[in-house]
Amino acid sequence: MIRQKSRPDPAAPADYGDPCGEAAAVHASAGLFALSDRLVFLKGADAANFLHTLSSNDIKSLAPGRGAESLFLTARGKIRMPFTAWAFPGHVAVQIAGDLLDSFVSLIESSVVMEDVALDEQPDAPRMFHLAGPAHAEVLKSLSLPDFLLSSSPLEGEEAPVRRSVVSERDILIFSRDRTVERGVDIAVPESRADEWHAAARSAVEKFGGRLCGAIAEDILRIEAGIPKFGVDYTADHLPQEASREEIAVSFTKGCYTGQEVVARINTYGGVNRRLVGLVSDGPPACPGDPVFRDGKPADREVQSPTLQSQKIPGGNFLHGALGAGSVTSAARSIKFSRAVALALVSKGSFDPGTRLRIGSPDGPAAVVVDIARQGSLASAAASKIA
Amino acid sequence: MTEQTAETKPAPFIRVSDEAAKWIGIFHTEQKLDPADYAFRVGVKAGGCSGFEYVMRMDRPKPEDRVFEHNGAKVVVDEKSLRLLNGSTLHFIMKYQGAGFTILSPRVAATCGCGTSVSFKSEPAPSTSTAPPG
């Protein structure tokens, strides 16, 4: 077992008094978030190949310093859990949501048989933060941390300047990762120094007009960016294509992995019956669980089943989407675009981009469907005029 | 059926069919490998559409391996793989679309479409009413 399991979860506060102001600060300057993510290191000669054969994306081809999102699937193609792999010389770092750490460790421990793979116990396991906003590079610089474009030497075969995925500075790791519509980085700081570092980072962020951001601001910003969350917008009940993760977290050319047959069959022969999409509306913000209608009919009616009940999911929320009680899974009012944005699980015939749906009732506020398989598409749609 | 207790439970084992033993000998000859130094390794690793794949190759035995012999053919299995392969039989099959070694395991829960990947049942032991090969 790894020591991180016994560490108390440093859950981020819901807000620091003004969630909308916190979200606005990210667009205007910079925001600093405390993440619940964990970083686990897999060592051994087979580490990258092991993750490659077990998950949906091409991990084996990652050059040192590169990262990729990937999914563990069941043999039937349903999502067990998402994670991000970062390649280092001789090992792989896996970034995973804190509440999935135990499941991840169990999966790894039960899957290693002949392979030279081991979970590397970190005596000073890192705590994760996210820094985002137009001033994030300046904040990094003031903390004596490198910005990618300025500091990275090119990888073999690449031309400078290169935006690396990972930069290591002293014992701090910086990962290029956009969790909002603004550029940002995840930062892993050894636990023993995390409080001290966070205080210094807070001062630096505030010097540039930024703010500490809580979980509510984080949620507003991820919905605005069209980034779905496992356990909220999609669950272990969904296929990668249903969760719109196939562009980001699936390789269709890497070869076999658990669940590959189902995922490949969907890709080759046809689509899915439900899909997670983005919604952009000029109406009031929706609520998670709101039904979605098309032509006066529930947009999820084709996937309703009398045998299915509302499903309890991690985090205490209820997911309704495909279960007949509603279709909106996450909703917020975008600070940047002054529009309502949402993620919703809708049925075939309703998930084509540009489809006009109604939220809440057959004559409720109009919303336009946006495909979220590519990151940034929801923000692009929100920034443009709704047809 | 013999009642099994912790004391009488036989050690994990795999069987080697006559045909598999014969072909292991042929591979030794064709690859010019000294049977004193090389054995046929059978194992399991993560991979494939169903979660696990079989590993089969000529290899130098390691001190921690379990060794199974039949008709002079030596098969080695590491301890962790043997937990999953317990009760299996190593065969050699010849078909119009190819020939090769295959493993028949009572613990396989499912195989993928191409047949190279398997998942295993979670229960720990296969039927132990048959004595291991002698």
Side-chain angles (χ1 to χ4, degrees):
Chain A
M1 287 295 123
I2 57 176
R3 294 180 192 179
Q4 290 184 62
K5 288 181 74 176
S6 59
R7 198 178 75 190
D9 191 355
D15 61 68
Y16 292 91
D18 179 13
C20 292
E22 294 159 21
V26 172
H27 294 308
S29 173
L32 181 65
F33 305 76
L35 301 175
S36 72
D37 283 15
R38 295 284 195 269
L39 202 61
V40 181
F41 295 90
L42 260 62
K43 62 182 180 182
D46 299 327
N49 197 47
F50 176 75
L51 279 176
H52 181 89
T53 56
L54 277 183
S55 70
S56 61
N57 216 339
D58 190 349
I59 310 296
K60 200 167 60 177
S61 301
L62 290 175
R66 296 295 190 199
E69 288 186 42
S70 194
L71 304 166
F72 290 122
L73 305 176
T74 67
R76 295 187 175 190
K78 297 289 178 72
I79 297 169
R80 293 179 76 166
M81 69 188 91
F83 68 95
T84 303
W86 305 97
F88 290 83
H91 66 280
V92 180
V94 172
Q95 187 175 352
I96 192 155
D99 59 350
L100 298 175
L101 180 65
D102 287 356
S103 302
F104 172 78
V105 171
S106 297
L107 177 65
I108 296 302
E109 290 180 338
S110 64
S111 300
V112 175
V113 187
M114 288 182 77
E115 298 88 346
D116 177 14
V117 179
L119 286 162
D120 194 5
E121 290 202 19
Q122 296 284 312
D124 197 7
R127 200 191 296 175
M128 304 290 300
F129 301 95
H130 181 68
L131 176 65
H136 85 271
E138 295 300 318
V139 174
L140 285 173
K141 199 173 166 186
S142 75
L143 290 166
S144 301
L145 293 172
D147 181 36
F148 293 93
L149 280 171
L150 299 174
S151 65
S152 299
S153 56
L155 300 172
E156 194 176 338
E158 293 179 326
E159 294 178 3
V162 172
R163 187 180 170 91
R164 281 268 191 98
S165 294
V166 186
V167 169
S168 177
E169 180 71 14
R170 300 184 297 277
D171 51 357
I172 294 177
L173 295 169
I174 309 167
F175 305 89
S176 173
R177 182 160 189 167
D178 297 335
R179 294 176 179 269
T180 73
V181 297
E182 309 294 342
R183 301 307 301 253
V185 290
D186 284 357
I187 303 169
V189 184
E191 177 63 33
S192 61
R193 293 179 49 205
D195 289 336
E196 172 200 349
W197 185 88
H198 185 258
R202 175 183 185 164
S203 298
V205 165
E206 289 173 349
K207 195 176 94 183
F208 287 94
R211 299 173 73 154
L212 291 184
C213 295
I216 296 173
E218 184 184 347
D219 221 30
I220 292 170
L221 292 161
R222 76 152 182 94
I223 297 165
E224 181 181 82
I227 300 173
K229 188 172 184 179
F230 184 71
V232 175
D233 301 297
Y234 65 105
T235 68
D237 187 45
H238 296 115
L239 301 160
Q241 287 99 332
E242 290 177 332
S244 292
R245 305 312 291 156
E246 74 276 13
E247 295 278 349
I248 291 170
V250 176
S251 166
F252 289 99
T253 56
K254 59 167 273 189
C256 290
Y257 56 90
T258 307
Q260 180 256 355
E261 282 183 318
V262 176
V263 175
R265 200 180 304 136
I266 291 169
N267 193 51
T268 304
Y269 296 115
V272 289
N273 291 324
R274 56 183 177 174
R275 187 164 167 88
L276 190 67
V277 297
L279 298 177
V280 179
S281 169
D282 283 328
C287 290
D290 276 355
V292 177
F293 295 83
R294 179 174 61 89
D295 300 330
K297 298 169 185 169
D300 62 349
R301 69 186 167 83
E302 292 166 35
V303 289
Q304 285 183 12
S305 165
T307 61
L308 294 173
Q309 302 295 320
S310 291
Q311 178 186 5
K312 188 77 167 70
I313 56 172
N317 298 317
F318 283 87
L319 179 73
H320 298 290
L323 306 180
S327 291
V328 171
T329 56
S330 290
R333 179 153 187 86
S334 165
I335 307 291
K336 186 179 180 78
F337 305 115
S338 297
R339 276 180 165 165
V341 287
L343 303 179
L345 200 59
V346 297
S347 69
K348 197 172 187 175
S350 298
F351 57 61
D352 294 328
T355 304
R356 291 182 73 88
L357 302 176
R358 299 273 178 182
I359 299 174
S361 66
D363 55 356
V368 174
V369 169
V370 181
D371 193 274
I372 57 166
R374 284 195 175 86
Q375 200 161 320
S377 51
L378 184 61
S380 299
S384 64
K385 185 173 169 59
I386 294 179
Chain B
M1 180 76 72
T2 309
E3 188 180 346
Q4 299 295 337
T5 66
E7 289 74 26
T8 60
K9 193 174 178 179
F13 66 93
I14 65 166
R15 292 187 188 83
V16 182
S17 72
D18 292 348
E19 198 70 0
K22 183 180 108 181
W23 278 93
I24 289 170
I26 291 171
F27 272 81
H28 269 115
T29 305
E30 285 195 344
Q31 295 179 22
K32 298 183 174 58
L33 299 174
D34 185 349
D37 295 331
Y38 284 86
F40 190 75
R41 177 171 299 282
V42 175
V44 176
K45 67 169 186 171
C49 303
S50 292
F52 291 101
E53 289 178 323
Y54 294 124
V55 174
M56 289 182 246
R57 63 171 184 257
M58 290 293 185
D59 199 6
R60 289 181 185 276
K62 295 172 185 166
E64 62 271 23
D65 284 334
R66 287 285 308 277
V67 182
F68 301 91
E69 281 194 73
H70 182 64
N71 290 350
K74 211 183 285 181
V75 174
V76 294
V77 189
D78 66 279
E79 283 290 343
K80 286 185 84 173
S81 293
L82 189 55
R83 275 183 238 159
L84 295 170
L85 294 172
N86 185 14
S88 300
T89 303
L90 176 69
H91 281 290
F92 190 91
I93 56 167
M94 201 165 282
K95 298 187 290 190
Y96 283 117
Q97 287 186 308
F101 291 96
T102 188
I103 290 173
L104 296 182
S105 170
R107 291 204 53 205
V108 167
T111 61
C112 74
C114 57
T116 60
S117 176
V118 298
S119 60
F120 292 98
K121 295 172 191 167
S122 54
E123 47 274 23
S127 166
T128 52
S129 57
T130 308

